[in-house]
Amino acid sequence: ETGVTQSPTHLIKTRGQQVTLRCSSQSGHNTVSWYQQALGQGPQFIFQYYREEENGRGNFPPRFSGLQFPNYSSELNVNALELDDSALYLCASSSLRQGLQFELSYEQYFGPGTRLTVT
Amino acid sequence: AQSVTQLGSHVSVSEGALVLLRCNYSSSVPPYLFWYVQYPNQGLQLLLKYTTGATLVKGINGFEAEFKKSETSFHLTKPSAHMSDAAEYFCAAAPSNTGTASKLTFGTGTRLQVTL
């Protein structure tokens, strides 16, 4: 069974640039969530994708956008990068199916993260 | 709005001593609760979770946690600390009153140091 993978592992960008981060979900999972973890903080929810549609969003501006593909992999795009966007970006996958006791959908499996540095 | 508070950003224990990491939640409806561990330069690994049923839940690596509704707490314990337990621990909550997968709200984390 393949776990959650993320690419790249590290990235350095300049303020104002755009970045795309990628995530491959765990085999059998159809839901992907993205979190931002600033240094010394807990992860903050950015958004979640289920069946290729956004299924909930946290308090992040529209320049944070995402995609989910038919194979359930996902991308996080950030436009107009700011210094405060420097963080570890975590992807988590889970499985949600119609009729399933919904608490099982909360067992999220996290990838190793992408460390983004904005200079 | 839901929130999670972890008391103590750093906890230091001796090897073999009891580990107690504190977590309190604030929510109008008792949420689902989780503890995650994060080792340096790694993602988060689920230690244990409480959804429904027995309020004392056992997880991996000898950890357990007890959900206490009256105290709005979900403290993590381990009877005997091991050097390999040194890591960052996060308590998280998710709303229990929605029909679809939803977001995890994390605390700010507690760094556990284990000394000889």
Side-chain angles (χ1 to χ4, degrees):
Chain A
E1 183 179 83
T2 305
V4 179
T5 60
Q6 293 187 242
S7 62
T9 54
H10 293 84
L11 201 54
I12 300 175
K13 289 286 189 178
T14 303
R15 189 171 48 184
Q17 286 187 316
Q18 178 267 341
V19 68
T20 298
L21 310 182
R22 295 178 175 82
C23 170
S24 291
S25 59
Q26 184 163 313
S27 177
H29 287 180
N30 57 13
T31 303
V32 173
S33 303
W34 286 93
Y35 293 82
Q36 180 196 65
Q37 185 179 16
L39 198 62
Q41 300 296 316
Q44 298 287 317
F45 176 75
I46 303 175
F47 43 55
Q48 182 180 86
Y49 279 82
Y50 168 61
R51 290 186 175 178
E52 302 178 53
E53 292 191 359
E54 190 175 287
N55 182 41
R57 188 180 183 93
N59 294 325
F60 280 82
R63 60 189 185 83
F64 285 78
S65 63
L67 284 173
Q68 187 181 31
F69 300 99
N71 66 354
Y72 304 124
S73 65
S74 177
E75 287 183 353
L76 164 65
N77 299 289
V78 187
N79 294 322
L81 284 166
E82 301 177 359
L83 296 179
D84 285 348
D85 295 333
S86 295
L88 180 67
Y89 288 84
L90 296 165
C91 163
S93 76
S94 56
S95 182
L96 174 64
R97 287 184 287 276
Q98 295 290 342
L100 186 70
Q101 284 186 335
F102 62 88
E103 63 262 25
L104 293 180
S105 69
Y106 290 110
E107 190 143 355
Q108 299 190 17
Y109 294 82
F110 284 81
T114 293
R115 173 74 62 186
L116 173 65
T117 302
V118 182
T119 63
Chain B
Q2 188 170 256
S3 67
V4 175
T5 302
Q6 291 184 242
L7 295 176
S9 58
H10 290 84
V11 170
S12 182
V13 301
S14 300
E15 190 174 36
L18 171 72
V19 176
L20 171 61
L21 305 183
R22 300 178 186 274
C23 173
N24 289 86
Y25 67 88
S26 173
S27 175
S28 56
V29 176
Y32 296 147
L33 294 160
F34 308 79
W35 275 98
Y36 283 86
V37 61
Q38 185 176 37
Y39 296 99
N41 301 313
Q42 295 188 25
L44 302 173
Q45 180 183 10
L46 180 66
L47 280 177
L48 48 78
K49 65 178 180 181
Y50 169 76
T51 54
T52 58
T55 56
L56 180 64
V57 292
K58 296 185 185 298
I60 62 172
N61 302 338
F63 285 94
E64 62 182 36
E66 185 171 12
F67 170 65
K68 292 187 177 180
K69 183 178 177 180
S70 61
E71 298 177 7
T72 61
S73 69
F74 190 58
H75 301 331
L76 180 72
T77 60
K78 182 174 180 178
S80 178
H82 191 273
M83 295 296 288
S84 61
D85 295 327
E88 188 89 19
Y89 291 81
F90 292 95
C91 181
S96 60
N97 57 348
T98 62
T100 59
S102 187
K103 69 176 184 178
L104 289 171
T105 298
F106 286 86
T108 52
T110 297
R111 182 167 297 279
L112 176 65
Q113 181 182 19
V114 182
T115 59
L116 289 172

